[in-house]
Amino acid sequence: MADVAVTPRERNRALWSSGDWDQVADFISVAGPDLLHRIGGIGPGVRLLDIGTGSGGSVAIPAAQRGADVVGCDVTDAWFPAAQRRAEEAGVDDIEWVVGDAVELPFEDGSFDIVTSTFGHMFAPDQPAAAAELVRVCKPGGTIGLACWTPEGVTGRMFGSIASLMPPPPEGFRPPVFWGSEPHVTELLEPLGVTLDMQRTTLRIEFDDPEAQADHYEKNFGPLVMAKAAIGEENWPQAREMFQAFLRDINDRDDGGMGADWEYLVTIGRTAA
């Protein structure tokens, strides 16, 4: 029997169902409250959609704590039990968790005052479609807030390192970190009537040492979990050493620990009224 071709969307769903995102999320969750602060006006009467919400700790739960009516949406429901647990612990148990693809969101036009994504929607394989969906579900005069890794930053370099271990991407593939490039974001969103304000910033990620970070990512970070499965156990030790060498290269600590500043682009967009 011939193998059934896996679509890019199915591959993306499998990618983010791999590993344990809830173990990774806390290292980057600081980006969510910062994004909410930059957007402003988060409170009662505001309906907010968080795309690629994962286990909810970055945007969905902090927004609900501010009184917003929140929907957390993700391509997989694998992390929703963790999200529900986190929400209960935070005292906000009325968040709605919905499975949905960033390129085909299951919501009516203009359903939300604010649409956000922190390192989530950027991994959708069809970037123009994902951009169109951001705008479609946002109310006229509403706000879109995005946090996306930059091509030049640590994450862009890391994905390049991982990609070198994998088979070539399909024709027409656009790296997710293009969402961290100001000209590319402008090209995607300005024609849709979105007024943009963009600013680069960083978040800090630290581990005990490079080996500890390699261990953590190998077990929990979806792209690296998938890379390991594709490469195979026999060839993995060499690939892992390449990844550890990358971590040693970006490490800016001289005390034996592991630390680096990870650059990302914050985009605040206002849709046409």
Side-chain angles (χ1 to χ4, degrees), residues 20 50 79 164 181 256:
D20 188 344
D50 185 39
W79 316 124
S164 71
S181 165

Side-chain angles (χ1 to χ4, degrees), residues 168-180:
E171 184 177 354
F173 172 77
R174 293 181 175 184
V177 290
F178 277 15
W179 275 102

Side-chain angles (χ1 to χ4, degrees), residues 132-150:
E133 285 293 270
L134 289 171
V135 178
R136 181 185 67 79
V137 301
C138 190
K139 289 182 179 179
T143 302
I144 296 169
L146 310 173
C148 302
W149 304 116
T150 65

Side-chain angles (χ1 to χ4, degrees), residues 78-95:
W79 316 124
F80 286 174
Q84 291 166 343
R85 171 183 54 78
R86 285 175 176 264
E88 290 172 2
E89 291 172 352
V92 286
D93 57 3
D94 56 350
I95 299 173

Side-chain angles (χ1 to χ4, degrees), residues 179-196:
W179 275 102
S181 165
E182 292 90 342
H184 188 68
V185 174
T186 299
E187 177 185 328
L188 287 170
L189 291 177
E190 271 198 354
L192 301 177
V194 182
T195 302
L196 298 170

